[in-house]
Amino acid sequence: MGNRFQVKDRFADGAQYIDGQLRAGTSGRSHTVVDPATGDEVLTYELASTADVDEAVAAARRAFPGWSGATPGERSDALHRLAAVLAEQAEDFAYAESLQCGKPIKLSTEFDVPGTIDNTAFFAGAARHLQGQAAAEYSGDHTSYVRREAIGVVGSIAPWNYPLQMAAWKILPAIAAGNTVVLKPAELTPLTSLMFAQAAKDAGLPDGVINIVTGAGREAGEHLVGHPDVVMTSFTGSTAVGKRVAEIATATVKRLHLELGGKAPFLVFDDADLEAAAHGAVAASLINTGQDCTAATRAYVQRPLHDAFVARVAELMESVRLGDPFAPTTDLGPLVSHAQRDRVAAFVERARAYATVVTGGESPAGDLAEGAYYRPTLIAGAAQDSEVVQSEIFGPVLVVLPFDTDDEGIALANDTPYGLAASAWSRDVYRAGRATREIKAGCVWVNDHIPIISEMPHGGYKASGFGKDMSAYSFEEYTQVKHVMYDNTAVAEKDWHRTIFGDRP
């Protein structure tokens, strides 16, 4: 990575982006962004207050009439320019994302940043296709059609695991549809959300269309969700916090989109390609150091393949290279914080009482000891109702359980409160097809696990939330559907009026 910008210089004016300008928060409290690979300070900034949230919402509300009144082509052109700016600044975005999250630079460079650019380009095109139902005379005497209209100011909250991509997933469909946005990123990882908003200004988007408030969830976040001028809330995060967001949002009758926790099953039938399944399980469980709500967390392997699968996955996990996130050979970086590392480690330590830690289960020593690192961990022998099988660990931990019949495997896959993502591994198209129909999850992969594309929706079932990110389906969250009906008769005294007053002739 060359020409790395200086974070403290870049955000010297503060970590709030309101009405087109960086500024300091006014809560009187500060927060420090820490490099999780070293424990070093990256940036200390002032957190947002409720007054800052009010100003951001006011800016978004002022910008709404002009932005929603722009033609779809004008919004499309602006987003195409934004995609170009993001591409020009891709190196800086990748550096900042790895610095604040601990992601290996190859993940930021090859996944997070290009995925965000592609998402921006997709919504630049999709902005021109906000269509309603074609006009028709459904009553015989009237012409009806459906309009899709922007809904207003959207208050969104994004998580710390994919700060750039999640900010884009929240912002892009909202503004493509003509809304304006106030986004609250996680306090741990605000850098790339702020950079995204600055890139939008560089691309010529009007001030106030995108605003960023970086504050604590209980202060800035709850105030944003409950704000009377915010007409919709989109939240990605844990199910527990999502319940609190829902309580606040429903109290003010807001539209609500929730993408919550996951505990994705990885279902391996006995005719699966063992080598493909083992490689897929390692990649899908360790992506972003396991801090991914769609990551493979529960591998159910039909008994004839179970032992061989466990042995091969353990072998592959032991070959994974932990190290400096900015080294091109690093496979696995630290978790986002030492607190998150300790939380993951506690799950594994408790599991030793009832299961077998096949490999991993420890933090590395030596040069990596100061960082929030944790070795890839494989657990076997746990019961279906145990904590490591039922609870979201959010770290580089995969639990493997056996099953006997196809009925049992699918039942076990569905046996958690979550339903965000899953995968099925089989050479039999009918077997795989049954799994895709019967597994209750918003996305089911066959013979792969993790790939996402801008054209397809992302969202969950059950305790994983509702509503969709990405794809044209996301416009269902961010537009209001209006029925418009024209009378075609020019008759003053209509026949149906007689059901209300007067007599039929």
Side-chain angles (χ1 to χ4, degrees):
M1 300 290 292
N3 302 318
R4 293 178 180 173
F5 65 86
Q6 296 298 311
V7 172
K8 292 180 181 179
D9 293 341
R10 177 71 174 261
F11 300 109
D13 293 332
Q16 316 302 325
Y17 189 83
I18 299 173
D19 206 13
Q21 299 293 327
L22 280 174
R23 49 180 279 184
T26 61
S27 69
R29 292 177 290 106
S30 63
H31 185 84
T32 299
V33 178
V34 174
D35 177 354
T38 62
D40 295 340
E41 176 193 343
V42 173
L43 176 72
T44 297
Y45 64 92
E46 299 299 314
L47 289 163
S49 66
T50 56
D52 297 323
V53 173
D54 289 341
E55 291 194 33
V57 172
R61 190 177 182 188
R62 288 193 300 271
F64 176 73
W67 183 246
S68 61
T71 67
E74 289 169 336
R75 291 197 296 270
S76 175
D77 289 346
L79 289 175
H80 277 300
R81 294 194 302 270
L82 175 56
V85 171
L86 294 172
E88 291 169 2
Q89 299 177 9
E91 185 176 288
D92 283 350
F93 273 97
Y95 169 70
E97 195 77 336
S98 288
L99 184 65
Q100 66 182 352
C101 299
K103 295 175 187 281
I105 193 64
K106 66 179 181 179
L107 183 65
S108 295
T109 302
E110 299 178 31
F111 182 74
D112 296 74
V113 174
T116 300
I117 295 169
D118 182 75
N119 212 229
T120 306
F122 170 81
F123 278 107
R128 290 180 176 266
H129 297 283
L130 279 168
Q131 298 171 343
Q133 191 169 351
E137 287 69 45
Y138 295 99
S139 77
D141 291 337
H142 306 81
T143 295
S144 288
Y145 70 90
V146 170
R147 291 175 53 88
R148 283 193 178 275
E149 297 180 347
I151 57 176
V153 178
V154 178
S156 294
I157 300 176
W160 48 256
N161 57 332
Y162 290 101
L164 175 60
Q165 289 206 77
M166 295 296 100
W169 287 14
K170 299 296 181 199
I171 292 169
L172 290 169
I175 66 173
N179 303 291
T180 55
V181 175
V182 179
L183 174 81
K184 192 197 89 66
E187 304 96 298
L188 291 172
T189 55
L191 303 183
T192 46
S193 297
L194 293 163
M195 292 167 63
F196 188 91
Q198 291 177 303
K201 184 179 179 74
D202 293 343
L205 273 74
D207 292 346
V209 172
I210 301 173
N211 305 273
I212 309 293
V213 288
T214 308
R218 290 192 178 277
E219 182 175 4
E222 292 196 1
H223 190 65
L224 177 62
V225 173
H227 199 289
D229 291 333
V230 170
V231 298
M232 175 191 167
T233 291
S234 178
F235 170 81
T236 296
S238 71
T239 298
V241 177
K243 291 178 180 178
R244 175 60 180 158
V245 169
E247 289 174 1
I248 300 169
T250 53
T252 50
V253 198
K254 284 181 172 50
R255 185 177 294 198
L256 186 59
H257 166 219
L258 299 174
E259 200 264 80
L260 306 177
K263 192 69 178 175
F266 187 99
L267 187 61
V268 183
F269 294 102
D270 58 14
D271 67 331
D273 181 324
L274 176 63
E275 195 68 8
H279 278 80
V282 173
S285 62
L286 299 185
I287 185 172
N288 202 33
T289 318
Q291 299 165 126
D292 186 314
C293 47
T294 64
T297 59
R298 301 177 288 138
Y300 296 101
V301 184
Q302 208 150 21
R303 206 170 294 275
L305 291 185
H306 177 270
D307 292 352
F309 179 88
V310 170
R312 185 60 175 137
V313 169
E315 182 181 27
L316 291 171
M317 280 188 169
E318 288 163 5
S319 72
V320 170
R321 299 164 296 183
L322 280 69
D324 175 6
F326 292 101
T329 56
T330 292
D331 298 322
L332 196 74
L335 288 108
V336 73
S337 67
H338 288 77
Q340 181 64 14
R341 189 271 314 276
D342 294 345
R343 178 181 179 275
V344 170
F347 270 101
V348 176
E349 290 309 305
R350 290 192 296 269
R352 293 184 192 276
Y354 55 80
T356 300
V357 177
V358 179
T359 189
E362 62 182 4
S363 298
D367 294 342
L368 302 181
E370 296 301 316
Y373 290 89
Y374 198 75
R375 293 195 184 282
T377 300
L378 182 65
I379 296 175
Q384 175 66 13
D385 62 356
S386 63
E387 180 187 48
V388 290
V389 175
Q390 293 293 324
S391 298
E392 190 172 31
I393 299 173
F394 228 56
V397 179
L398 177 65
V399 184
V400 184
L401 298 88
F403 70 93
D404 291 304
T405 67
D406 290 15
D407 288 349
E408 181 190 13
I410 291 172
L412 290 169
N414 284 327
D415 184 29
T416 71
Y418 301 105
L420 187 58
S423 63
W425 297 73
S426 173
R427 290 184 173 96
D428 185 328
V429 65
Y430 298 103
R431 210 175 198 183
R434 179 192 175 191
T436 65
R437 293 190 301 273
E438 295 186 13
I439 292 176
K440 305 303 181 187
C443 175
V444 181
W445 293 281
V446 176
N447 295 326
D448 208 343
H449 192 119
I450 283 297
I452 54 174
I453 49 176
S454 298
E455 291 82 358
M456 288 291 112
H458 178 84
Y461 285 30
K462 303 190 292 185
S464 291
F466 48 82
K468 299 300 179 184
D469 287 311
M470 298 197 299
S471 83
Y473 289 98
S474 65
F475 286 136
E476 301 296 330
E477 318 303 327
Y478 296 102
T479 56
Q480 186 72 267
V481 173
K482 177 186 286 184
H483 171 215
V484 178
M485 181 180 257
Y486 283 91
D487 170 60
N488 295 328
T489 66
V491 173
E493 296 183 27
K494 295 180 171 57
D495 187 59
W496 75 266
H497 293 175
R498 304 301 178 264
T499 64
I500 312 302
F501 70 99
D503 298 319
R504 292 186 183 277

